[in-house]
Amino acid sequence: MMRRRSHAGGFTLVELIVVMVLVGIIGGVLALQLAPAIQSYLLVGQRAALTNQADTALRKIVGDVRRAVPNSLRLGGADCLELVPSKDGGRYRTGPDTGNGAVTGAFLDNSEDRTRFDVLTPSTDAAVPGDAIVIGNQNTSDVYDQANVGIVVPPAAPATPVTGVSSITVTPAIRIPPGYDGGRFQVVPKDEKVVTYRCVGAGENAQGDGTGTLYRLVDANFHQLPQCTGAVPNGVAVLATKVTSCAFIYSPNQGATQESGFVQLQLTLSAKGEAIPLTIGAHVDNVP
C-alpha cells in the first residue's frame, strides 16, 4: 500500500533571500530615479517661501514710503531707512471766512503762530489727541526737529461748524512756513511718529543660510538723528529672516522742482545655498 506525501506551503530561506535582494535592487533604482524629483520639489517650495517672504517685506516698505510725509525719507546707512508715516491729511483754512459775517473761522498763515485751524475737507482717519500735524515740510530735518509740527489736543470739535468740516487744536502753536502756499496738512499717528527699517547681521553661514534679519521699528516720538545703531529692542516687528544682503538707495531729486524722489530697495534671502534676490523701486511724492 502506497502512502501519499504531503508538502507544507511556504518559502525556503534561499527564496526569501533572493526576494529581499531583488526588492533592494528595485528600491535602489527607484530611489535613484525619484531623488532628483523629490529634491527639486523641496527646492521649489523653499524658493517660493523665500520669495514670498522677501516680496511681502519689500511691499510693506513701499506701502509706508507711499504714505510718508513729503520730504521725510532719510538714510542712516545703506541698510537703514527712516520715514515719518501719515494716516490722513486734508486742507486747512488759509484765511478768514468773509461769507459768514462776524464768524471768520480759525485759519493759519505765516503772519503769526496759532493753535487752532478749520479743516475744509472730510477725513478718512480723523486726527485724535496725540497725533501730530505736519504742514509744509520742505526740508527733511524740519519734521524730525518738529519745526513745523503741532500735537493734537482736545477739543477736536469745531466751535463754528459753518466755517469748516471740523477743526483741530494743536500745541505748541504753529504757523505756515515762509513760501508755502499748498494749503495742505498731514496727520501722523500718535504711536508711529517715526518708522525705521533696519537690516541687522546680514551675511551667510557655512550651511548657506542667511544670517540677517530685517526689522521694522516704530517710535512714538520724533528723534533728530536716525536710530540705525545699537541693539534692537525686544518685541520689534520682524519683516524677514535669513537675510544675506540688504540695501536701501534713495534719491530725493534735488533738482529745480524737488517734486518726486525715487527709492530702490534690494533684499536677498538665502537658505541651504539657495539665494533669492529681489529689487523693487518706488517714486516718492515730495510735494508738501
Side-chain angles (χ1 to χ4, degrees):
M1 184 175 182
M2 298 180 61
R3 291 184 177 179
R4 184 174 297 176
R5 295 182 179 179
S6 60
H7 296 276
F11 301 99
T12 65
L13 180 61
V14 174
E15 291 172 331
L16 288 174
I17 293 174
V18 170
V19 170
M20 292 174 63
V21 171
L22 291 175
V23 170
I25 293 173
I26 295 172
V29 172
L30 290 175
L32 291 174
Q33 295 294 324
L34 294 177
I38 295 174
Q39 184 67 20
S40 177
Y41 173 79
L42 294 176
L43 289 175
V44 168
Q46 177 179 283
R47 285 194 294 269
L50 291 175
T51 301
N52 182 65
Q53 183 180 188
D55 181 69
T56 301
L58 293 181
R59 290 184 183 277
K60 174 62 177 176
I61 300 175
V62 169
D64 279 347
V65 165
R66 287 176 174 164
R67 68 186 184 99
V69 169
N71 299 299
S72 69
L73 265 70
R74 65 180 180 182
L75 297 177
D79 57 358
C80 182
L81 172 70
E82 283 195 339
L83 54 86
V84 176
S86 66
K87 70 171 190 176
D88 199 6
R91 291 189 173 273
Y92 58 85
R93 179 171 294 284
T94 58
D97 187 347
T98 59
N100 287 292
V103 181
T104 59
F107 63 93
L108 296 175
D109 60 17
N110 59 10
S111 65
E112 63 178 280
D113 297 340
R114 293 187 173 90
T115 60
R116 189 181 183 89
F117 62 90
D118 290 332
V119 179
L120 304 180
T121 52
S123 298
T124 301
D125 190 355
V128 299
D131 288 347
I133 300 298
V134 181
I135 296 177
N137 187 59
Q138 301 175 68
N139 300 298
T140 302
S141 60
D142 288 348
V143 65
Y144 293 99
D145 293 340
Q146 302 185 68
N148 53 352
V149 175
I151 304 301
V152 179
V153 295
T160 54
V162 295
T163 62
V165 175
S166 63
S167 71
I168 294 176
T169 304
V170 299
T171 184
I174 57 176
R175 72 169 65 188
I176 305 306
Y180 179 65
D181 59 0
R184 292 183 292 270
F185 68 92
Q186 285 82 38
V187 181
V188 178
K190 61 181 180 179
D191 296 324
E192 291 191 1
K193 298 285 196 314
V194 181
V195 171
T196 305
Y197 288 98
R198 283 181 59 187
C199 283
V200 178
E204 189 174 277
N205 60 22
Q207 291 72 41
D209 295 331
T211 57
T213 305
L214 173 58
Y215 295 98
R216 181 181 187 269
L217 299 88
V218 299
D219 194 342
N221 300 294
F222 293 102
H223 48 251
Q224 293 182 323
L225 300 176
Q227 303 296 299
C228 296
T229 58
V232 176
N234 294 328
V236 171
V238 175
L239 292 188
T241 58
K242 300 183 183 299
V243 177
T244 302
S245 66
C246 176
F248 304 128
I249 303 170
Y250 175 51
S251 174
N253 187 17
Q254 298 294 338
T257 61
Q258 295 184 340
E259 292 182 350
S260 180
F262 187 79
V263 63
Q264 185 180 81
L265 313 172
Q266 302 173 354
L267 183 63
T268 300
L269 307 184
S270 299
K272 298 179 181 179
E274 186 79 19
I276 300 296
L278 285 186
T279 299
I280 191 170
H283 289 283
V284 183
D285 185 7
N286 282 329
V287 180

